[in-house]
Amino acid sequence: TLLLPYMTYGRSDANFGSRTTPALIDTIEGYRDFCDNVIVADPHNQNLTKSTFEAAQNVKSCDTVHLAYSFATQLNSLFDQRIISRKNILFTHADAGSRTRITESFRAALYRTASINLNPEKKNEWAQADADRSHTTGEKDIKIDNDFTDKDVVLFEDMIASGGTACKIAKKLKERGARSVILFATSGLFTPSKNATKTSIIDKINNSELDAVFITDTYDYHKTHPSISRAIEKSPIIHVIKTGPFLASLVNAIHMQVTSDMDRDENSISAILRGTHPSQKNGNSLAKPTPLKQGSPLLTLG
């Protein structure tokens, strides 16, 4: 079983007019002959990743999984501390691509785990930022027309790279009256531009209108770029959510032997992703919230 917390070369190649990713396909073809089952955490190209892995005859299954349950556990903690409220929360798509990534099972796990009274079957209950990307420069122009007065706005992304879009959206939301802006991103890449310092993206986020950015430990700079790792640790905005128990539960579900006395969901990855697995019913045993850091702007809201 191959577990990929981050799908290498998952982003588009440097051609803004194309959605094909030959580097991604080449990477998958290098992996797939050596595994029977594959789990990929929140890949940027969901369908391409899954179909390319499953094109190998020996790959029995490829599950592209989201981390809505871990994110919802963090949200629950913020609700319990009365930092933000369910009454004022507003979920917002960062762009049109987000509407595709935020599936019904993502919404089901989010709403069920965080006790939010919304229907996961409804796709149109979230606001959406209109982000037009220039095919020449790759820059995005952000347009948001909704009224966000006194709302606690939450966005979800598969990754945060340059941070430009997130910072622009947060600025627009605050101009529209948002009380707080929180971003959940599975992978924190923090990719600097060519002539910038290694930690420039983190500096940008620290000085932005974002009140909190929650990333996961699926992408770890601790050994590859220690300066980025230290900057993340020092940032009052960026918090890291641990995913080990949750990802381990997915591997366990694949290999669990089914017996007649088992709960029908015990070996179901789908149940885990929807937040209905037996291990998720009594507390959040597969995910724990990370404490807010000293200096977090969210602490001023409680």
Side-chain angles (χ1 to χ4, degrees), residues 90-242:
L90 180 64
F91 296 117
T92 303
H93 292 293
D95 53 30
S98 170
R99 294 180 66 88
T100 302
R101 289 190 299 272
I102 304 300
T103 60
E104 183 179 327
S105 71
F106 186 105
R107 294 189 295 272
L110 181 66
Y111 300 164
R112 179 177 290 107
T113 306
S115 301
I116 295 168
N117 188 26
L118 290 174
N119 184 352
E121 295 180 4
K122 293 185 178 180
K123 300 180 180 179
N124 300 320
E125 293 186 310
W126 293 26
Q128 181 176 323
D130 183 13
D132 292 325
R133 186 188 291 276
S134 167
H135 291 291
T136 304
T137 66
E139 289 292 318
K140 284 186 177 180
D141 179 38
I142 309 296
K143 298 177 183 178
I144 305 178
D145 296 328
N146 301 64
D147 179 15
F148 294 90
T149 303
D150 295 328
K151 295 295 184 182
D152 295 309
V153 185
V154 180
L155 303 100
F156 299 93
E157 278 284 19
D158 61 311
M159 66 174 68
I160 179 169
S162 70
T165 300
C167 292
K168 286 180 181 179
I169 289 176
K171 187 174 185 294
K172 290 279 188 180
L173 290 170
K174 289 293 182 72
E175 289 172 353
R176 297 289 191 277
R179 177 175 176 267
S180 67
V181 182
I182 300 171
L183 171 67
F184 287 88
T186 301
S187 300
L189 305 184
F190 306 119
T191 311
S193 57
K194 186 175 181 180
N195 297 318
T197 63
K198 289 287 186 183
T199 61
S200 60
I201 304 304
I202 296 169
D203 295 336
K204 179 198 296 185
I205 291 170
N206 289 340
N207 294 315
S208 74
E209 296 289 345
L210 287 161
D211 293 285
V213 174
F214 292 96
I215 60 173
T216 73
D217 58 359
T218 54
Y219 196 91
D220 188 1
Y221 281 109
H222 183 67
K223 292 185 177 180
T224 58
H225 294 91
S227 62
I228 295 179
S229 181
R230 288 192 296 270
I232 292 171
E233 291 175 4
K234 292 179 180 178
S235 170
I237 307 297
I238 302 170
H239 299 73
V240 181
I241 298 173
K242 295 182 178 180

Side-chain angles (χ1 to χ4, degrees), residues 7-112:
M7 184 65 243
T8 311
Y9 292 110
R11 300 179 65 196
S12 298
D13 291 339
N15 178 357
F16 298 111
S18 172
R19 301 302 293 176
T20 60
T21 55
L24 171 62
I25 294 173
D26 287 347
T27 303
I28 292 174
E29 289 177 345
Y31 286 144
R32 66 186 188 182
D33 289 339
F34 304 98
C35 50
D36 302 298
N37 301 291
V38 185
I39 298 172
V40 188
D42 211 355
H44 192 64
N45 295 275
Q46 300 263 1
N47 293 332
L48 183 61
T49 298
K50 184 177 178 66
S51 62
T52 308
F53 266 116
E54 291 185 341
Q57 293 183 350
N58 56 295
V59 175
K60 301 171 186 174
S61 67
C62 175
D63 293 287
T64 55
V65 300
H66 57 71
L67 280 83
Y69 178 74
S70 299
F71 293 158
T73 300
Q74 188 70 48
L75 269 180
N76 237 349
S77 174
L78 299 179
F79 292 145
D80 291 345
Q81 296 175 72
R82 299 186 179 180
I83 290 171
I84 60 174
S85 71
R86 293 177 178 85
K87 178 182 177 182
N88 292 329
I89 198 167
L90 180 64
F91 296 117
T92 303
H93 292 293
D95 53 30
S98 170
R99 294 180 66 88
T100 302
R101 289 190 299 272
I102 304 300
T103 60
E104 183 179 327
S105 71
F106 186 105
R107 294 189 295 272
L110 181 66
Y111 300 164
R112 179 177 290 107

